[in-house]
Amino acid sequence: MAPPAMEMLGRSFLPGRASAAGRARGGGPCFAAAGREGRRRGRGPLRSAAPVGALAERVVVTPAPAERSGAAPPEEPPHPQSVASRAVVTVRRRRKEDAKRRVAEQLDAYADRVGRSVLLELVSTETDPRKGCPKKSKPSALLGWFEKKDVKAERVVYTAEFAVDASFGEPGAVTVLNRHRHEFFIESIVVEGFPSGPAHFTCNSWVQPARVDPRPRVFFTNKPYLPDETPPGLRELRRQELSDLRGEGAAAAAAGGERRLTDRVWEYDVYNDLGNPDKGAGFARPVLGGDQLPYPRRMRTGRPKTVTDDRAESRVEYPEPIYVSPDEEFEEGKNEMLSEGALKALFHNFMPLLVSSVSPDIRDFAGFHDVDNLFKEGLRLKQTLQDQLFQKIPFVRKIQENSEGLLRYDTPDIIKKDKFAWLRDDEFARQALAGINPVNIERLQAFPPASKLDPAVYGPPESAITEEHIVGQLDGMSVRQALEDSRLYMLDYHDIFLPFLDRINAQDGRKAYGTRTLFFLTGAGTLKPIAIELSLPPMTDGCKRAKRVFTPPADATSNWLWQLAKAHVCSNDAGVHQLINHWLRTHACMEPFIIAAHRQLSAMHPVFKLLKPHMRYTLKINALARQILINGDGVIESGFTPGRYCMEMSAFAYRELWRLDQEGLPADLIRRGMAVEDPTQPHGLRLLIEDYPYAADGLLLWSAITRWCDAYVAMYYPSDESVRGDAELQAWYGEAVRTGHADKRDAPWWPRLSSPADLASLLTTLVWLTSAQHAALNFGQYPLGGYIPNRPPLMRRLVPTEGDPEHAHLVADPHRFFLSALPSLTQATTFMTVIDTLSTHSADEEYLGERPDEEWTADPAALAAARQFVDEVRRAEEEIARRNADTGRHNRCGAGVLPYELMAPTSGPGITCRGVPNSVTI
């Protein structure tokens, strides 16, 4: 989320798995091979570095006395006394800097010249047998900072020279002490000159000045090591680094207080910062997390408590920064995209608010032409209203003259090919399979459907839909035949909404039902809606208002009632999509696994290396969401029907519905009755609706991720004992469950982590959720939901019954009544602006399988498996394109039908309705 305005190859050359004797000798052939491979690719730092051979020639050999006197040489060849090496450090500068920052950098450059330099130190993988501690080089200053102070390139390369004893071994870590006044960003370090070949250190991290953090930063080699295979010289550094990231040891003194923006500490907290009780009771919100409202944990910031409620944490309002570890902050490309979105939001929201404040009578859309004009002409004003605005606020004319492009909204894809598709029943049904929220459709397995809620509170559990309502829509089948042939399907939002309806409907301008919608699967493989049930909590026994059933219309009045009923279904669907499937399942529930990974898995751990691209930006996005999206009176509360009860509904769903063991795609499809196990099928599943675009394309990516994780895990874990004996791995998963999901820690369904198969399955699920699942639920929001009548996020009127005064208004002016039930002008434009930003890919997006840093691991087998994964993802993209051109697939191809590309892995920047980033980045 974002502001409006995360095949096994041979093991003989695997690093970290050689014999103890081999490790003691300080290296292996794969390390040199990886270095040679990096040099063949011509990576930036190596192009400017001296050749390895040249550095090797600088080894100093001290002749023995016998050689100097002309005596016979000794039997053993002489050993070099020192090795000359150097570190090539790539620093990434900001592309755009203000004057204050430029002055600061110049001051640092001059300070560097007089000795306040950046110091590097090499740490060996071996220990000094006399001292019992790691072998270390002498500190060496980074050279060239002053000389390159005016270089305009984004990446600047510096060097540091070292001379170490010949028995030093191979470098396993580099420490960096920043004695400048300001932080800088290290992208990578390459250490050259050692017999074992170049050592690569992938950094991608901010290094704080010593005045902020007096301890040197530690960067480990890109060579992966399981905990018990860590070389002796790195063991204590590995332990200390994780301790610091947990806020223990030297960082413990500050751990209990408010986190500084420069800290690198990962801790947990409940969601106690969504409201602001100090502003009044109406601004208070309950704490999410605990017995009353179970919820996943979020990143702790440690801000002070509010004055009026010691359970609530004080807020930091956007755009003030909220704490995440500095390395989780957005890079410049992402910030530029969000800044452009914020500017667009400013203009898009300003004019509707201004118009409605001056002329309250046009707060609603008068007709569908008003909606269409948002995309054609922007917000078109009547001349009299323009004159009124120009007189009151002279700069309005200037805004309208200079910002015409920003005031006009992009045309959503849903109306580009067929302006009236959204009115049709077949399109309403198609979007349940290939729309924004294709993960709630389920096969009906018993008729009538029944509620699981307490009947003593909510009345009889059986649906009011009878066989008489639907039998005429089943192509001659009986209801029993249709059930047995898997031809009946349902969207069921009854139980998730009903407990909240009295409170929702008591709010001004919010009206909702608990809905059920039944569909019939036609012979063409498409769905058609055959009944909609709208439910309210019963007021009395036998209350007729409690359950109303609508069927496809037969006359003009029933047609408009049917359209209103579909709109309420879409509003339910929009709320469940945003609050549960999108935010809860792919944002909030993943955060504990990310926090635990940084606390418990070393950067050298192979599992951390696999997960790292799938954690990018997620903590920052979630922090911003707490500031402006899911907070009290934020975008979600303002834009969706549940209003101030949005997050309580999300917590209800977490308690009642969320299970990690059912979050993988195959398990979810089987749970919903949309697939059955079938070993004869390519993915081991048979879809009961063959043309189910989300599932069919999703299985392509799921299978690719599965094979990648299976191959990767097999490289490092040959047995069940190797998984159970990995202390860091077990601590990661155990903490994510026990602390990160503390309110469900005792649930019996948590997957075990006792075998390589368990680990591969867990990793597959996490990678799926953060990449393909999030993409399917996020990047179609504006293309498919930007046309408000197609998918209203909130409703303001109930469906009138005959005899009600509102029924007469419906009959007299049906299309105006329909629009008045949808969001108002300002609600609609605000919502459109937000989902415009949410649907946008930034220019620095990293898509599934992409790793900009080619040296993310020194393991050649892992690199080879990663290339196979990329190839399989590419083949999946080609298959998706072929399917979208197949005229036999009516749910993704046809007159006015949008192709389904949300699982197509790659995309350009902007709103494209396609592209699968590695992580939850927006």
Side-chain angles (χ1 to χ4, degrees):
M1 293 190 169
M6 154 186 285
E7 280 69 356
M8 179 179 178
L9 301 179
R11 297 176 55 83
S12 58
F13 294 100
L14 290 182
R17 305 196 65 84
S19 66
R23 286 196 300 272
R25 287 192 295 269
C30 67
F31 202 92
R36 289 193 296 273
E37 179 67 20
R39 293 179 63 81
R40 281 196 295 271
R41 296 190 192 104
R43 293 185 57 76
L46 295 182
R47 285 197 297 269
S48 62
V52 176
L55 289 166
E57 291 172 1
R58 294 165 60 191
V59 172
V60 178
V61 181
T62 304
E67 291 178 285
R68 291 196 297 268
S69 64
E75 294 182 4
E76 292 291 330
H79 294 284
Q81 300 302 306
S82 65
V83 174
S85 64
R86 71 170 179 175
V88 180
V89 180
T90 302
V91 172
R92 191 164 72 216
R93 292 179 175 175
R94 293 178 175 89
R95 293 198 296 268
K96 296 179 180 179
E97 295 179 337
D98 56 26
K100 182 179 179 181
R101 180 71 192 183
R102 286 195 296 271
V103 170
E105 290 197 346
Q106 292 293 314
L107 291 175
D108 274 343
Y110 281 99
D112 189 274
R113 191 173 182 84
V114 298
R116 296 202 59 80
S117 52
V118 176
L119 297 181
L120 272 66
E121 191 174 48
L122 305 183
V123 182
S124 173
T125 57
E126 301 177 8
T127 57
D128 186 327
R130 295 173 299 171
K131 299 179 180 178
C133 59
K135 296 178 181 178
K136 296 181 180 180
S137 70
K138 292 181 179 179
S140 178
L142 205 59
L143 304 176
W145 200 283
F146 179 82
E147 290 75 12
K148 298 180 180 181
K149 60 182 172 58
D150 296 319
V151 172
K152 301 302 182 184
E154 183 179 355
R155 289 170 174 80
V156 183
V157 177
Y158 305 97
T159 60
E161 305 288 342
F162 298 92
V164 297
D165 187 90
S167 63
F168 183 83
E170 77 176 272
V174 177
T175 68
V176 181
L177 181 64
N178 177 11
R179 298 196 298 178
H180 293 168
R181 292 287 298 170
H182 301 91
E183 65 183 5
F184 62 88
F185 190 88
I186 292 187
E187 192 170 83
S188 65
I189 302 173
V190 179
V191 177
E192 296 184 320
F194 284 86
S196 54
H200 294 267
F201 300 80
T202 301
C203 306
N204 291 321
S205 182
W206 291 98
V207 179
Q208 300 301 325
R211 63 184 177 84
V212 173
D213 186 352
R215 298 166 300 168
R217 273 297 307 277
V218 178
F219 295 105
F220 292 105
T221 174
N222 66 342
K223 195 171 183 178
Y225 293 105
L226 293 172
D228 62 352
E229 296 174 343
T230 308
L234 303 181
R235 289 173 188 166
E236 177 56 25
L237 275 180
R238 182 172 185 152
R239 186 204 65 76
Q240 185 60 54
E241 176 74 357
L242 286 174
S243 177
D244 289 345
L245 292 172
R246 291 192 290 265
E248 302 167 344
E258 183 173 359
R259 295 261 64 92
R260 302 172 301 171
L261 295 178
T262 55
D263 287 345
R264 295 172 60 245
V265 177
W266 299 73
E267 301 166 298
Y268 302 91
D269 208 343
V270 294
Y271 283 74
N272 60 354
D273 61 345
L274 303 183
N276 190 351
D278 289 346
K279 292 176 64 176
F283 296 91
R285 294 295 183 271
V287 174
L288 304 185
D291 293 338
Q292 289 188 322
L293 291 172
Y295 216 62
R297 299 306 190 254
R298 51 95 170 175
M299 184 77 155
R300 179 184 175 276
T301 64
R303 297 190 302 271
K305 303 299 183 183
T306 59
V307 174
T308 53
D309 186 349
D310 62 6
R311 296 170 300 173
E313 187 174 86
S314 58
R315 288 184 52 74
V316 175
E317 301 296 348
Y318 182 81
E320 290 298 315
I322 186 171
Y323 174 74
V324 293
S325 181
D327 296 342
E328 307 308 302
E329 291 285 348
F330 295 146
E331 296 180 20
E332 279 188 281
K334 189 75 167 181
N335 278 322
E336 288 170 3
M337 182 273 284
L338 295 175
S339 296
E340 291 171 3
L343 179 62
K344 186 187 292 187
L346 176 66
F347 285 110
H348 277 169
N349 290 328
F350 175 76
M351 194 61 74
L353 288 169
L354 189 61
V355 169
S356 63
S357 66
V358 174
S359 184
D361 60 321
I362 63 168
R363 287 179 181 169
D364 292 338
F365 294 107
F368 287 103
H369 59 277
D370 283 349
V371 183
D372 295 340
N373 279 339
L374 293 174
F375 315 113
K376 293 179 180 178
E377 303 172 8
L379 189 62
R380 190 175 185 179
L381 307 178
K382 296 179 182 178
Q383 188 61 47
T384 55
L385 182 57
Q386 288 189 41
D387 295 340
Q388 187 179 8
L389 285 174
F390 296 154
Q391 290 172 8
K392 291 188 174 184
I393 310 176
F395 71 87
V396 170
R397 183 189 299 275
K398 187 67 76 173
I399 291 177
Q400 195 162 23
E401 289 173 354
N402 296 338
S403 309
E404 189 174 334
L406 290 173
L407 287 171
R408 188 185 301 118
Y409 292 81
D410 296 327
T411 302
D413 291 9
I414 193 66
I415 59 171
K416 282 182 179 178
K417 296 182 72 173
D418 185 348
K419 181 178 177 181
F420 302 107
W422 68 275
L423 280 166
R424 300 196 315 265
D425 284 357
D426 64 289
E427 178 62 18
F428 169 74
R430 189 192 73 84
Q431 290 184 34
L433 298 172
I436 306 169
N437 188 41
V439 298
N440 276 100
I441 187 76
E442 60 183 291
R443 180 165 57 90
L444 188 65
Q445 302 186 47
F447 187 87
S451 169
K452 296 182 176 65
L453 298 174
D454 184 355
V457 178
Y458 300 103
E462 294 80 13
S463 167
I465 300 174
T466 64
E467 292 197 20
E468 289 73 20
H469 284 121
I470 64 173
V471 69
Q473 302 285 333
L474 306 182
D475 292 357
M477 289 184 171
S478 68
V479 172
R480 180 176 178 180
Q481 286 176 314
L483 282 173
E484 291 175 349
D485 288 357
S486 300
R487 303 289 287 274
L488 289 175
Y489 294 83
M490 175 174 61
L491 285 176
D492 188 355
Y493 300 127
H494 178 279
D495 286 10
I496 192 67
F497 268 86
L498 208 65
F500 297 90
L501 285 181
D502 284 337
R503 289 184 288 167
I504 290 172
N505 291 335
Q507 300 174 102
D508 290 338
R510 306 293 171 113
K511 293 294 180 280
Y513 298 94
T515 67
R516 288 193 186 98
T517 308
L518 297 191
F519 301 89
F520 177 71
L521 180 63
T522 69
T526 60
L527 295 176
K528 67 176 181 179
I530 57 177
I532 295 174
E533 179 183 37
L534 305 182
S535 298
L536 293 169
M539 297 177 66
T540 59
D541 290 342
C543 178
K544 292 183 179 180
R545 76 188 275 275
K547 298 178 181 180
R548 297 173 62 190
V549 177
F550 299 83
T551 55
D555 56 54
T557 302
S558 62
N559 178 70
W560 281 103
L561 292 172
W562 177 248
Q563 294 296 341
L564 284 166
K566 288 197 298 182
H568 274 283
V569 173
C570 288
S571 176
N572 272 195
D573 188 75
V576 169
H577 160 259
Q578 196 70 271
L579 301 170
I580 299 169
N581 297 328
H582 180 201
W583 164 254
L584 174 66
R585 294 173 64 188
T586 68
H587 282 259
C589 286
M590 292 301 99
E591 185 157 344
F593 289 96
I594 296 173
I595 296 173
H598 286 84
R599 287 169 54 87
Q600 301 295 346
L601 294 176
S602 167
M604 292 187 288
H605 199 292
V607 169
F608 187 89
K609 289 181 176 293
L610 181 139
L611 288 175
K612 188 170 184 179
H614 305 290
M615 302 187 289
R616 183 180 186 236
Y617 287 163
T618 304
L619 271 292
K620 178 64 175 181
I621 286 292
N622 289 1
L624 285 171
R626 301 202 311 274
Q627 284 189 297
I628 56 175
L629 292 177
I630 64 171
N631 59 301
D633 287 337
V635 170
I636 301 299
E637 283 193 5
S638 301
F640 291 86
T641 299
R644 65 176 295 146
Y645 306 107
C646 279
M647 295 309 294
E648 288 186 54
M649 184 179 289
S650 184
F652 175 83
Y654 177 69
R655 184 183 69 200
E656 299 294 329
L657 303 176
W658 187 81
R659 295 176 48 160
L660 183 63
D661 64 327
Q662 294 182 348
E663 288 295 282
L665 179 59
D668 177 59
L669 292 172
I670 291 170
R671 176 185 64 82
R672 291 188 281 123
M674 301 300 293
V676 294
E677 293 185 10
D678 186 344
T680 67
Q681 296 297 309
H683 310 288
L685 291 178
R686 178 170 59 86
L687 294 176
L688 297 182
I689 300 178
E690 184 178 351
D691 186 21
Y692 180 6
Y694 159 78
D697 293 358
L699 284 170
L700 292 175
L701 298 186
W702 172 269
S703 295
I705 295 168
T706 297
R707 281 188 278 272
W708 157 235
C709 292
D710 284 348
Y712 191 86
V713 167
M715 297 173 194
Y716 302 99
Y717 296 96
S719 65
D720 293 358
E721 291 73 20
S722 62
V723 172
R724 290 195 295 264
D726 186 335
E728 286 184 9
L729 183 73
Q730 295 296 331
W732 162 62
Y733 183 57
E735 183 176 279
V737 172
R738 292 190 299 271
T739 306
H741 288 275
D743 305 324
K744 298 176 84 78
R745 62 185 297 170
D746 296 323
W749 43 256
W750 283 104
R752 299 179 63 189
L753 191 57
S754 300
S755 68
D758 293 341
L759 175 57
S761 176
L762 173 63
L763 294 175
T764 299
T765 297
L766 296 180
V767 172
W768 161 260
L769 289 170
T770 55
S771 59
Q773 180 79 328
H774 177 261
L777 295 169
N778 184 77
F779 292 103
Q781 290 190 76
Y782 188 84
L784 305 179
Y787 187 71
I788 296 298
N790 174 63
R791 185 181 170 78
L794 67 81
M795 295 293 288
R796 295 187 291 158
R797 291 178 183 266
L798 295 174
V799 181
T801 57
E802 194 168 354
D804 291 344
E806 290 208 334
H807 192 271
H809 296 159
L810 171 68
V811 172
D813 196 345
H815 101 279
R816 188 150 193 164
F817 183 93
F818 179 82
L819 286 170
S820 72
L822 271 53
S824 68
L825 171 67
T826 53
Q827 288 171 328
T829 53
T830 299
F831 176 76
M832 290 162 61
T833 300
V834 172
I835 62 173
D836 178 292
T837 302
L838 296 183
S839 304
T840 301
H841 291 291
S842 59
D844 71 340
E845 201 84 272
E846 296 173 6
Y847 295 97
L848 189 63
E850 290 184 353
R851 289 203 183 224
D853 178 18
E854 298 174 7
E855 304 294 349
W856 62 275
T857 181
D859 186 339
L863 292 171
R867 287 192 290 271
Q868 291 180 3
F869 175 50
V870 171
D871 289 343
E872 190 164 357
V873 169
R874 188 179 298 114
R875 289 193 294 272
E877 185 159 24
E878 294 168 354
E879 172 62 16
I880 290 169
R882 187 191 67 77
R883 291 174 177 179
N884 282 324
D886 183 352
T887 56
R889 298 176 185 267
H890 302 295
N891 291 319
R892 65 200 306 163
C893 187
V897 176
L898 292 176
Y900 187 76
E901 296 183 306
L902 287 169
M903 291 284 189
T906 62
S907 172
I911 299 175
T912 63
C913 203
R914 61 175 291 143
V916 179
N918 277 322
S919 59
V920 178
T921 63
I922 192 71

